[in-house]
mmCIF file of all heavy atoms in Angstrom:
data_model
loop_
_atom_site.group_PDB
_atom_site.id
_atom_site.type_symbol
_atom_site.label_atom_id
_atom_site.label_comp_id
_atom_site.label_asym_id
_atom_site.label_seq_id
_atom_site.Cartn_x
_atom_site.Cartn_y
_atom_site.Cartn_z
ATOM 1 N N ARG A 6 -24.501 -8.634 -29.876
ATOM 2 C CA ARG A 6 -23.701 -9.631 -30.594
ATOM 3 C C ARG A 6 -22.515 -10.067 -29.757
ATOM 4 O O ARG A 6 -22.220 -9.482 -28.727
ATOM 5 C CB ARG A 6 -23.220 -9.069 -31.932
ATOM 6 C CG ARG A 6 -22.181 -7.970 -31.790
ATOM 7 C CD ARG A 6 -21.674 -7.473 -33.160
ATOM 8 N NE ARG A 6 -20.648 -6.475 -33.038
ATOM 9 C CZ ARG A 6 -19.353 -6.720 -32.892
ATOM 10 N NH1 ARG A 6 -18.915 -7.963 -32.861
ATOM 11 N NH2 ARG A 6 -18.477 -5.736 -32.789
ATOM 12 N N ALA A 14 -8.447 -9.929 -29.343
ATOM 13 C CA ALA A 14 -6.990 -9.829 -29.456
ATOM 14 C C ALA A 14 -6.561 -8.373 -29.622
ATOM 15 O O ALA A 14 -5.593 -7.925 -28.985
ATOM 16 C CB ALA A 14 -6.494 -10.672 -30.630
ATOM 17 N N LEU A 18 -4.149 -6.306 -27.021
ATOM 18 C CA LEU A 18 -2.922 -5.645 -27.465
ATOM 19 C C LEU A 18 -2.952 -4.155 -27.143
ATOM 20 O O LEU A 18 -1.957 -3.584 -26.698
ATOM 21 C CB LEU A 18 -2.709 -5.865 -28.967
ATOM 22 C CG LEU A 18 -2.329 -7.294 -29.356
ATOM 23 C CD1 LEU A 18 -2.288 -7.432 -30.871
ATOM 24 C CD2 LEU A 18 -0.985 -7.673 -28.748
ATOM 25 N N PHE A 19 -4.097 -3.526 -27.330
ATOM 26 C CA PHE A 19 -4.200 -2.105 -27.011
ATOM 27 C C PHE A 19 -4.020 -1.873 -25.511
ATOM 28 O O PHE A 19 -3.264 -1.000 -25.099
ATOM 29 C CB PHE A 19 -5.542 -1.526 -27.459
ATOM 30 C CG PHE A 19 -5.743 -0.113 -26.964
ATOM 31 C CD1 PHE A 19 -5.084 0.943 -27.565
ATOM 32 C CD2 PHE A 19 -6.558 0.153 -25.877
ATOM 33 C CE1 PHE A 19 -5.234 2.238 -27.097
ATOM 34 C CE2 PHE A 19 -6.724 1.435 -25.407
ATOM 35 C CZ PHE A 19 -6.059 2.492 -26.018
ATOM 36 N N LEU A 26 -4.412 3.877 -21.076
ATOM 37 C CA LEU A 26 -4.416 4.271 -19.671
ATOM 38 C C LEU A 26 -3.007 4.523 -19.157
ATOM 39 O O LEU A 26 -2.497 3.778 -18.335
ATOM 40 C CB LEU A 26 -5.096 3.186 -18.824
ATOM 41 C CG LEU A 26 -6.504 2.806 -19.253
ATOM 42 C CD1 LEU A 26 -6.977 1.608 -18.459
ATOM 43 C CD2 LEU A 26 -7.460 3.960 -19.087
ATOM 44 N N HIS A 28 -1.747 6.183 -16.953
ATOM 45 C CA HIS A 28 -1.563 6.302 -15.508
ATOM 46 C C HIS A 28 -1.787 4.976 -14.791
ATOM 47 O O HIS A 28 -1.747 4.921 -13.580
ATOM 48 C CB HIS A 28 -2.483 7.376 -14.936
ATOM 49 C CG HIS A 28 -3.936 7.127 -15.198
ATOM 50 N ND1 HIS A 28 -4.487 7.274 -16.441
ATOM 51 C CD2 HIS A 28 -4.926 6.725 -14.386
ATOM 52 C CE1 HIS A 28 -5.780 6.976 -16.380
ATOM 53 N NE2 HIS A 28 -6.061 6.643 -15.147
ATOM 54 N N THR A 31 -0.427 -2.759 -15.805
ATOM 55 C CA THR A 31 -0.976 -4.096 -15.662
ATOM 56 C C THR A 31 -0.102 -4.867 -14.689
ATOM 57 O O THR A 31 1.112 -4.729 -14.699
ATOM 58 C CB THR A 31 -1.006 -4.798 -17.033
ATOM 59 O OG1 THR A 31 -1.757 -3.984 -17.922
ATOM 60 C CG2 THR A 31 -1.635 -6.165 -16.938
ATOM 61 N N LEU A 55 5.497 5.067 3.526
ATOM 62 C CA LEU A 55 5.656 5.589 4.877
ATOM 63 C C LEU A 55 6.880 4.942 5.533
ATOM 64 O O LEU A 55 7.310 3.877 5.111
ATOM 65 C CB LEU A 55 4.401 5.279 5.696
ATOM 66 C CG LEU A 55 3.100 5.770 5.062
ATOM 67 C CD1 LEU A 55 2.244 4.587 4.662
ATOM 68 C CD2 LEU A 55 2.353 6.661 6.006
ATOM 69 N N ALA A 63 18.104 -7.100 18.231
ATOM 70 C CA ALA A 63 17.973 -8.209 17.281
ATOM 71 C C ALA A 63 16.825 -9.159 17.629
ATOM 72 O O ALA A 63 16.096 -9.616 16.739
ATOM 73 C CB ALA A 63 19.291 -8.977 17.185
ATOM 74 N N ALA A 64 16.643 -9.460 18.899
ATOM 75 C CA ALA A 64 15.572 -10.377 19.302
ATOM 76 C C ALA A 64 14.195 -9.756 19.035
ATOM 77 O O ALA A 64 13.281 -10.439 18.560
ATOM 78 C CB ALA A 64 15.710 -10.752 20.776
ATOM 79 N N ALA A 81 -5.922 -8.018 9.283
ATOM 80 C CA ALA A 81 -5.955 -8.092 7.813
ATOM 81 C C ALA A 81 -7.330 -7.688 7.281
ATOM 82 O O ALA A 81 -7.436 -6.922 6.317
ATOM 83 C CB ALA A 81 -5.596 -9.504 7.342
ATOM 84 N N TRP A 95 8.969 -3.187 4.160
ATOM 85 C CA TRP A 95 10.356 -3.511 3.840
ATOM 86 C C TRP A 95 11.237 -3.001 4.979
ATOM 87 O O TRP A 95 10.905 -2.014 5.627
ATOM 88 C CB TRP A 95 10.764 -2.827 2.528
ATOM 89 C CG TRP A 95 9.962 -3.274 1.352
ATOM 90 C CD1 TRP A 95 8.659 -2.962 1.069
ATOM 91 C CD2 TRP A 95 10.389 -4.127 0.301
ATOM 92 N NE1 TRP A 95 8.260 -3.555 -0.093
ATOM 93 C CE2 TRP A 95 9.305 -4.280 -0.597
ATOM 94 C CE3 TRP A 95 11.581 -4.774 0.012
ATOM 95 C CZ2 TRP A 95 9.386 -5.044 -1.742
ATOM 96 C CZ3 TRP A 95 11.660 -5.534 -1.145
ATOM 97 C CH2 TRP A 95 10.574 -5.671 -2.006
ATOM 98 N N PHE A 111 -10.447 5.365 -0.037
ATOM 99 C CA PHE A 111 -9.544 5.275 1.104
ATOM 100 C C PHE A 111 -9.270 6.665 1.671
ATOM 101 O O PHE A 111 -9.123 7.638 0.937
ATOM 102 C CB PHE A 111 -8.206 4.648 0.702
ATOM 103 C CG PHE A 111 -7.183 4.747 1.803
ATOM 104 C CD1 PHE A 111 -7.189 3.840 2.846
ATOM 105 C CD2 PHE A 111 -6.245 5.766 1.815
ATOM 106 C CE1 PHE A 111 -6.267 3.940 3.880
ATOM 107 C CE2 PHE A 111 -5.314 5.870 2.835
ATOM 108 C CZ PHE A 111 -5.328 4.948 3.867
ATOM 109 N N SER A 112 -9.178 6.718 3.005
ATOM 110 C CA SER A 112 -8.683 7.924 3.665
ATOM 111 C C SER A 112 -8.004 7.511 4.961
ATOM 112 O O SER A 112 -8.419 6.542 5.611
ATOM 113 C CB SER A 112 -9.803 8.920 3.949
ATOM 114 O OG SER A 112 -10.587 8.502 5.047
ATOM 115 N N GLU A 114 -8.096 9.261 7.614
ATOM 116 C CA GLU A 114 -9.058 9.575 8.675
ATOM 117 C C GLU A 114 -10.011 8.408 8.898
ATOM 118 O O GLU A 114 -10.291 8.033 10.039
ATOM 119 C CB GLU A 114 -9.839 10.846 8.338
ATOM 120 C CG GLU A 114 -8.996 12.096 8.282
ATOM 121 C CD GLU A 114 -8.208 12.249 6.970
ATOM 122 O OE1 GLU A 114 -8.525 11.564 5.966
ATOM 123 O OE2 GLU A 114 -7.256 13.045 6.967
ATOM 124 N N GLY A 115 -10.517 7.831 7.810
ATOM 125 C CA GLY A 115 -11.404 6.679 7.922
ATOM 126 C C GLY A 115 -10.709 5.474 8.524
ATOM 127 O O GLY A 115 -11.272 4.757 9.361
ATOM 128 N N ALA A 119 -11.862 3.819 12.095
ATOM 129 C CA ALA A 119 -12.230 2.402 12.180
ATOM 130 C C ALA A 119 -11.295 1.649 13.126
ATOM 131 O O ALA A 119 -11.729 0.753 13.854
ATOM 132 C CB ALA A 119 -12.212 1.774 10.791
ATOM 133 N N ARG A 121 -9.770 2.849 15.803
ATOM 134 C CA ARG A 121 -10.105 3.188 17.199
ATOM 135 C C ARG A 121 -11.319 2.409 17.686
ATOM 136 O O ARG A 121 -11.445 2.146 18.874
ATOM 137 C CB ARG A 121 -10.348 4.695 17.331
ATOM 138 C CG ARG A 121 -9.061 5.510 17.367
ATOM 139 C CD ARG A 121 -9.302 6.950 17.782
ATOM 140 N NE ARG A 121 -10.219 7.660 16.908
ATOM 141 C CZ ARG A 121 -9.865 8.281 15.785
ATOM 142 N NH1 ARG A 121 -8.620 8.275 15.392
ATOM 143 N NH2 ARG A 121 -10.766 8.915 15.063
ATOM 144 N N GLU A 130 -1.941 -2.850 17.648
ATOM 145 C CA GLU A 130 -1.132 -1.625 17.682
ATOM 146 C C GLU A 130 -0.367 -1.498 18.994
ATOM 147 O O GLU A 130 0.802 -1.089 19.008
ATOM 148 C CB GLU A 130 -2.001 -0.394 17.438
ATOM 149 C CG GLU A 130 -2.529 -0.297 16.015
ATOM 150 C CD GLU A 130 -1.431 -0.216 14.962
ATOM 151 O OE1 GLU A 130 -0.342 0.334 15.242
ATOM 152 O OE2 GLU A 130 -1.657 -0.706 13.847
ATOM 153 N N MET A 133 2.504 -3.844 18.730
ATOM 154 C CA MET A 133 3.527 -3.368 17.794
ATOM 155 C C MET A 133 4.424 -2.306 18.415
ATOM 156 O O MET A 133 5.611 -2.219 18.099
ATOM 157 C CB MET A 133 2.885 -2.824 16.519
ATOM 158 C CG MET A 133 2.230 -3.888 15.635
ATOM 159 S SD MET A 133 3.386 -5.196 15.126
ATOM 160 C CE MET A 133 2.938 -6.540 16.225
ATOM 161 N N PRO A 145 4.963 14.554 16.352
ATOM 162 C CA PRO A 145 4.702 14.193 17.755
ATOM 163 C C PRO A 145 3.432 13.339 17.880
ATOM 164 O O PRO A 145 2.405 13.672 17.300
ATOM 165 C CB PRO A 145 4.529 15.542 18.450
ATOM 166 C CG PRO A 145 5.259 16.516 17.577
ATOM 167 C CD PRO A 145 5.111 15.992 16.167
ATOM 168 N N TRP A 149 3.706 5.869 11.731
ATOM 169 C CA TRP A 149 4.187 5.793 10.358
ATOM 170 C C TRP A 149 4.187 7.198 9.757
ATOM 171 O O TRP A 149 3.173 7.879 9.761
ATOM 172 C CB TRP A 149 3.302 4.862 9.537
ATOM 173 C CG TRP A 149 3.500 3.416 9.891
ATOM 174 C CD1 TRP A 149 2.755 2.675 10.761
ATOM 175 C CD2 TRP A 149 4.519 2.556 9.395
ATOM 176 N NE1 TRP A 149 3.240 1.403 10.833
ATOM 177 C CE2 TRP A 149 4.327 1.294 9.992
ATOM 178 C CE3 TRP A 149 5.566 2.716 8.488
ATOM 179 C CZ2 TRP A 149 5.146 0.213 9.720
ATOM 180 C CZ3 TRP A 149 6.371 1.638 8.213
ATOM 181 C CH2 TRP A 149 6.166 0.397 8.829
ATOM 182 N N THR A 159 8.615 7.921 -14.843
ATOM 183 C CA THR A 159 7.605 8.260 -15.860
ATOM 184 C C THR A 159 7.494 9.746 -16.094
ATOM 185 O O THR A 159 6.919 10.172 -17.100
ATOM 186 C CB THR A 159 6.230 7.680 -15.491
ATOM 187 O OG1 THR A 159 5.850 8.192 -14.216
ATOM 188 C CG2 THR A 159 6.247 6.172 -15.480
#
Side-chain angles (χ1 to χ4, degrees):
R6 69 177 183 86
L18 289 174
F19 172 76
L26 305 172
H28 58 288
T31 303
L55 306 113
W95 298 73
F111 171 81
S112 76
E114 295 79 16
R121 282 192 301 274
E130 291 300 329
M133 291 303 102
W149 288 96
T159 58

